[in-house]
Amino acid sequence: MKTLSAQADTRNVSATPEPPKQRKKGIWRTVVRQRYLYMMSVPFVIWLFVFNYLPIWGWTMAFQNYKPSKSFFEQEWVGLKHFVDLFQDERFYLVLRNTLAMSVMGLIAGFVIPIAFAIFLNELRGKYFKRTVQTISYLPHFVSWVVVAGIVTKMLSIDGGIVNEVLLALHIIDEPIQFMAQGKWFWGIVTVSDVWKETGWNAIIYLAAIAGIDRELYEAAKVDGAGRFRQMWNITLPGIRTTISVLLIMSIGHLIGIGFEKQFQLSNSLVTDYSEVLDLYALNYGINISRFSYGTAISMFTSIVSIILLLTANGIMKKTTKESIM
């Protein structure tokens, strides 16, 4: 009995939380012991603060009638005037439609295709052929959008464009189609161009996740009689579920902030109503005509909506799949 009581007392003592002073000493010991790691991280923390957090101060321009010639304290404060103007502008809703349409199409195609490409590429047995295909697939990522836009425009041209030539040869169409002059084709052209350019590069992280799956699972599945498609469905896809969830959350966070480079390069005056996105809208109706406060309000709206989408997607994913990024 004495032994049992002594063990119980020992457990109670070990379960007692450490005093705050001892915890603080332990933290400082860890800091001192890992001081070189902390010192190595200081430049990155400074870079993050200077380029990501310090510019947030510029959001104050959205509440001012900003004039570059005046100091901060001399600016005229106008409250939410620029946001009111933004939501009353019919062009804004047209641009928002274009942004959401292209971002959703890009999210679906640009998310599903790299996963499928990585899984099927992983199933290739020839090592050299597999490496060759992988290398060729991610090379377009390093090509500038200026070059990509030139290639796409030439391929879709009515004067010797390969797409029209093939369609005419197959008797699918009777006369060449002016793809780049019709707004109804623009969203699809941007989506296909982006998928071609980024599929190989986006597949790299999925291939890395697949490489971390225990090979014994595949061997056990073979013994049980599972074919290659059954192995992909029951082993490969569940094995990269965490990676898929994290990247999906991050992609949803960028749903409204898709940039403007590809739209700017592929656009022309005939398809402006389908090509203009929020970032281009901020550039054309803000900075280019010196409406800096209005442009800041557009960018601020984009950032806030992106944060809300990110937190919402993370919350839903955390409840449904127990996966989250924060």
Side-chain angles (χ1 to χ4, degrees):
M1 294 295 293
K2 290 182 178 179
T3 305
L4 293 174
S5 61
Q7 290 179 354
D9 292 339
T10 304
R11 290 175 182 172
N12 292 332
V13 170
S14 61
T16 304
E18 295 181 1
K21 291 184 178 180
Q22 292 185 5
R23 286 203 300 267
K24 288 182 180 180
K25 289 182 180 179
I27 294 172
W28 281 112
R29 288 198 193 98
T30 303
V31 172
V32 172
R33 188 168 58 251
Q34 300 181 355
R35 58 187 180 277
Y36 296 112
L37 293 176
Y38 286 107
M39 290 173 63
M40 290 173 61
S41 67
V42 167
F44 297 101
V45 173
I46 295 174
W47 176 87
L48 184 68
F49 175 77
V50 171
F51 291 98
N52 290 79
Y53 288 96
L54 196 59
I56 294 178
W57 174 258
W59 280 6
T60 56
M61 292 168 55
F63 307 98
Q64 302 172 341
N65 188 15
Y66 181 76
K67 301 295 182 183
S69 59
K70 297 182 180 179
S71 66
F72 176 80
F73 298 101
E74 295 175 338
Q75 300 296 335
E76 177 188 357
W77 292 86
V78 294
L80 300 176
K81 176 182 180 300
H82 298 296
F83 292 95
V84 173
D85 294 341
L86 177 65
F87 294 122
Q88 290 180 346
D89 186 4
E90 294 181 359
R91 186 74 184 179
F92 166 73
Y93 296 99
L94 179 66
V95 170
L96 185 61
R97 180 206 65 176
N98 298 337
T99 303
L100 291 175
M102 280 184 274
S103 59
V104 170
M105 292 172 64
L107 176 64
I108 296 172
F111 190 76
V112 175
I113 293 177
I115 295 174
F117 177 76
I119 292 175
F120 286 114
L121 186 62
N122 181 67
E123 294 297 317
L124 294 178
R125 293 293 180 253
K127 183 173 65 173
Y128 295 105
F129 179 71
K130 177 180 177 179
R131 289 180 178 177
T132 302
V133 172
Q134 184 178 357
T135 302
I136 293 174
S137 66
Y138 68 66
L139 283 178
H141 170 78
F142 301 98
V143 179
S144 169
W145 266 110
V146 177
V147 178
V148 173
I151 295 173
V152 171
T153 302
K154 184 61 179 176
M155 290 179 64
L156 298 177
S157 173
I158 60 174
D159 184 17
I162 188 172
V163 174
N164 276 307
E165 292 291 334
V166 170
L167 293 177
L168 288 170
L170 295 175
H171 303 288
I172 297 176
I173 58 176
D174 297 326
E175 57 183 14
I177 300 175
Q178 295 182 337
F179 290 101
M180 302 304 294
Q182 299 183 39
K184 64 180 181 180
W185 295 105
F186 187 82
W187 296 347
I189 292 171
V190 170
T191 302
V192 172
S193 302
D194 193 40
V195 168
W196 171 79
K197 187 175 185 297
E198 302 295 342
T199 292
W201 182 259
N202 292 336
I204 292 176
I205 191 168
Y206 298 113
L207 288 169
I210 292 172
I213 299 175
D214 190 355
R215 308 310 300 180
E216 293 182 359
L217 295 175
Y218 293 97
E219 298 298 330
K222 289 180 182 178
V223 173
D224 291 338
R228 294 176 69 177
F229 283 98
R230 181 61 63 182
Q231 292 175 36
M232 286 188 285
W233 184 260
N234 291 326
I235 298 175
T236 306
L237 273 175
I240 62 175
R241 187 185 68 179
T242 301
T243 304
I244 293 174
S245 300
V246 171
L247 293 179
L248 178 60
I249 293 171
M250 296 177 67
S251 298
I252 292 175
H254 292 90
L255 198 61
I256 199 171
I258 59 174
F260 68 91
E261 188 176 8
K262 46 184 176 285
Q263 288 83 7
F264 181 77
Q265 298 295 338
L266 291 169
S267 178
N268 57 69
S269 58
L270 299 175
V271 296
T272 304
D273 289 342
Y274 291 86
S275 65
E276 194 170 30
V277 291
L278 281 172
D279 288 341
L280 266 178
Y281 180 66
L283 178 66
N284 294 331
Y285 292 88
I287 298 175
N288 283 352
I289 57 177
S290 300
R291 296 176 67 190
F292 301 106
S293 297
Y294 190 70
T296 304
I298 300 170
S299 300
M300 188 175 175
F301 167 81
T302 303
S303 300
I304 292 175
V305 172
S306 297
I307 294 172
I308 294 173
L309 288 173
L310 178 65
L311 295 176
T312 303
N314 185 75
I316 294 173
M317 199 68 69
K318 190 173 184 180
K319 286 184 178 181
T320 55
T321 64
K322 308 301 180 183
E323 304 287 349
S324 67
I325 60 174
M326 59 183 76

